[in-house]
Amino acid sequence: METIPILDADIPFTAYTRLDLSDGNIDLAAYDITDPLECQTYIDTVLEQNNGQVAYGGYLEKRNLYSDKVGFSGKSARNIHLGVDFWSKAGTKVLVPLAGKVHSLQNNATQGDYGPTIILEHEIENTVFYSLYGHLSLASLEGLSIGKVFKKGETLATLGTPDINVNYAPHLHFQLIRDIEGKKGDYPGVCSINRMAFYKNNCPNPSFLLNI
């Protein structure tokens, strides 16, 4: 099956390379990945080694990336990642992989959150589900309205800078959601290990949709 692009269509999928940000990756011991500059340095190293333009991965990864964030550490640490991240340059176009309409949007500016976020609603064979796009630019929210329809392949947004995306290296957090649970403009993208069974079911692996 053909791979569905999620970022700028001019970037070939041959320029995508897998990235491991799990707590089991010993290469990360030399970096403070909670610092966006050090995280970017590691990502750039991986991209250079693989002649890539986009680094991606992370579904159900257990990460130390959130260890400095309030509410993500402690007895019930939230460190299991529920989407797939696509790490690329700020300003890179984000594409709609599947036709849908805007369900909600919001700037989630609390540290550790998404920053500017868009959620689309999709319906296939009478089944409704949602896709979430986080860590966008502020310009991505300008002029956007609930109910606006996007066709597959249209540009939805662009990637934000660390000062806008709440202190992360530039990337897209892409997540599928079966039941949005009444939430608008936000939905958990990281969970604790004791909630993983629920979220794994409610947030299936987006890689299957994108065929990557």
Side-chain angles (χ1 to χ4, degrees):
M1 297 178 69
E2 183 182 0
T3 299
I4 299 175
I6 190 72
L7 296 183
D8 191 333
D10 288 336
I11 303 175
F13 189 66
T14 52
Y16 282 56
T17 186
R18 288 192 174 273
L19 180 71
D20 179 3
L21 292 181
S22 72
D23 62 357
N25 182 358
I26 59 174
D27 291 340
L28 292 176
Y31 300 86
D32 176 9
I33 61 166
T34 64
D35 182 306
L37 294 178
E38 289 204 37
C39 186
Q40 187 66 64
T41 297
Y42 176 70
I43 293 167
D44 289 343
T45 298
V46 173
L47 289 174
E48 184 176 354
Q49 289 173 345
N50 294 277
N51 195 28
Q53 297 180 56
V54 177
Y56 75 99
Y59 182 66
L60 297 187
E61 265 186 357
K62 182 181 178 183
R63 294 174 167 179
N64 292 325
L65 183 60
Y66 319 105
S67 59
D68 66 327
K69 314 289 191 298
V70 176
F72 286 74
S73 58
K75 187 175 181 180
S76 297
R78 292 172 56 210
N79 54 16
I80 307 296
H81 189 251
L82 300 173
V84 172
D85 285 335
F86 295 85
W87 305 81
S88 193
K89 295 179 180 179
T92 300
K93 294 178 182 178
V94 176
L95 307 182
V96 176
L98 185 70
K101 63 182 179 180
V102 176
H103 169 268
S104 51
L105 58 148
Q106 184 169 288
N107 185 9
N108 299 293
T110 304
Q111 186 182 23
D113 214 317
Y114 296 121
T117 308
I118 298 171
I119 296 176
L120 298 184
E121 179 180 316
H122 311 274
E123 184 173 354
I124 297 179
E125 297 180 353
N126 297 318
T127 297
V128 175
F129 63 98
Y130 306 85
S131 57
L132 181 149
Y133 309 79
H135 306 293
L136 308 175
S137 65
L138 281 173
S140 302
L141 304 185
E142 294 176 1
L144 198 61
S145 57
I146 293 172
K148 181 175 180 179
V149 174
F150 284 88
K151 297 178 182 178
K152 177 182 176 180
E154 284 192 301
T155 298
L156 174 69
T158 56
L159 298 186
T161 52
D163 57 315
I164 298 300
N165 75 18
V166 205
N167 210 41
Y168 292 103
H171 71 289
L172 170 70
H173 174 96
F174 178 61
Q175 182 172 334
L176 297 180
I177 306 164
R178 287 195 170 102
D179 180 3
I180 200 73
E181 301 184 86
K183 298 183 185 300
K184 295 182 178 181
D186 196 10
Y187 191 84
V190 184
C191 74
S192 60
I193 188 69
N194 60 351
R195 293 284 287 156
M196 188 173 74
F198 168 79
Y199 283 111
K200 181 180 180 180
N201 178 68
N202 200 43
C203 301
N205 191 343
S207 297
F208 295 119
L209 172 66
L210 302 176
N211 299 320
I212 59 175

